[in-house]
Amino acid sequence: PGTSQASHYSSWVDFVDLKNTKEIWTASDSGSRAESIGIPVRAKAEDAVPNMTHQNVQGFAFDQQHVYWLDTNLRQLNATHLETKETRQVLSNDSLRALTGTDATNAFINIPRGLILEGGRLFWIDEIGGTSVIQSVETSGNSPTRLVHSPGKVVQILADPQQSQLYWLNASAGQISRSNFEGQQMQIGVIDGLKRPTSIAIDAQNQQLYWAEHDPNTPGSTARGRIMQATIPEDKSSDG
């Protein structure tokens, strides 16, 4: 239910039997055996108690030393050191609500998913009242903020570091939209008319966007899907 890539390794989230916890697994591109990276740390059998809270990873991202991961059950954003396995809380919904004065923020953690890391900031998708919200925070936990409100279901976000732009795929609207990393210079539907889109990818160097569509009318395919491609449209935005 979630993937990421760092260096020559691909990683994904999977279930483990104990606690019904979701954890992060990895495998190298050479085809070596897949294995858990031990994050989140598994509970022992003797730790199991009735009605215990399960950890549910719904998005993760790597830097050189840490993996950052969203836990939807605890409504937290955590950082775990890859070697020591020490975990610290970057954000939680409770900690955000406790901020006051100049530190107060409109950010929240409700149903988080789709975490990415770019330029020292973490970006994720959340949801409130049927509206998708894209939010960000520094890896230190400072400066949490809402960036974008997008009515409908945003299923994925990605970054174009060369143009300092953030892209998001709204499956409900059938659109790919973008803004800068501060949520400004927003352009809705730079590519639209998508049919049941499920995911996007970017080739920033060659300025190409790719997306997958689920189309039951596509002939000759059990999955009834296809991959589409388009040149990234010219930026015609203005501040605001």
Side-chain angles (χ1 to χ4, degrees):
T3 60
S4 184
Q5 187 167 355
S7 184
H8 299 295
Y9 291 85
S10 293
S11 306
W12 64 92
V13 179
D14 212 333
F15 290 97
V16 293
D17 291 335
L18 185 60
K19 291 180 56 186
N20 290 325
T21 288
K22 286 183 180 179
E23 62 181 22
I24 302 169
W25 284 57
T26 187
S28 73
D29 59 6
S30 63
S32 62
R33 180 178 178 180
E35 60 183 1
S36 169
I37 67 172
I39 299 171
V41 176
R42 294 188 189 184
K44 298 178 181 178
E46 56 267 26
D47 296 330
V49 296
N51 302 318
M52 70 185 301
T53 300
H54 305 314
Q55 293 174 302
N56 187 1
V57 180
Q58 285 291 349
F60 61 97
F62 290 93
D63 62 19
Q64 294 297 318
Q65 295 183 319
H66 299 87
V67 56
Y68 302 88
W69 50 282
L70 292 163
D71 188 330
T72 56
N73 284 350
L74 296 179
R75 298 164 80 182
Q76 292 178 349
L77 170 56
N78 301 308
T80 301
H81 195 281
L82 290 169
E83 291 187 4
T84 67
K85 298 299 188 290
E86 292 182 359
T87 297
R88 64 177 173 87
Q89 184 186 104
V90 178
L91 284 180
S92 72
N93 198 57
D94 289 341
S95 68
L96 289 170
R97 293 174 63 186
L99 296 174
T100 59
T102 58
D103 294 327
T105 177
N106 60 0
F108 62 94
I109 299 181
N110 185 36
I111 312 173
R113 60 184 184 273
L115 187 68
I116 65 171
L117 172 63
E118 181 58 46
R121 292 193 69 86
L122 294 156
F123 299 83
W124 76 96
I125 308 165
D126 218 309
E127 201 169 308
I128 185 170
T131 295
S132 295
V133 181
I134 301 172
Q135 309 186 93
S136 78
V137 66
E138 296 175 4
T139 54
S140 63
N142 294 328
S143 304
T145 185
R146 295 189 201 182
L147 298 177
V148 172
H149 289 75
S150 183
K153 190 76 169 181
V154 172
V155 295
Q156 189 179 346
I157 55 177
L158 53 77
D160 178 353
Q162 294 190 1
Q163 301 296 324
S164 298
Q165 290 182 318
L166 183 71
Y167 285 80
W168 61 95
L169 175 63
N170 190 317
S172 304
Q175 292 178 332
I176 298 174
S177 303
R178 68 186 174 193
S179 71
N180 63 20
F181 290 156
E182 289 73 45
Q184 301 171 346
Q185 298 178 341
M186 193 179 304
Q187 300 171 76
I188 302 300
V190 291
I191 298 177
D192 58 12
L194 280 59
K195 297 181 178 180
R196 302 183 184 181
T198 58
S199 59
I200 53 175
I202 189 170
D203 177 355
Q205 182 175 354
N206 295 306
Q207 288 294 285
Q208 296 291 310
L209 276 172
Y210 301 84
W211 66 93
E213 295 182 350
H214 175 71
D215 185 357
N217 296 318
T218 301
S221 172
T222 302
R224 303 298 184 190
R226 57 188 178 183
I227 297 175
M228 308 293 288
Q229 176 185 3
T231 299
I232 295 177
E234 182 182 351
D235 188 349
K236 298 180 180 180
S237 65
S238 59
D239 290 337

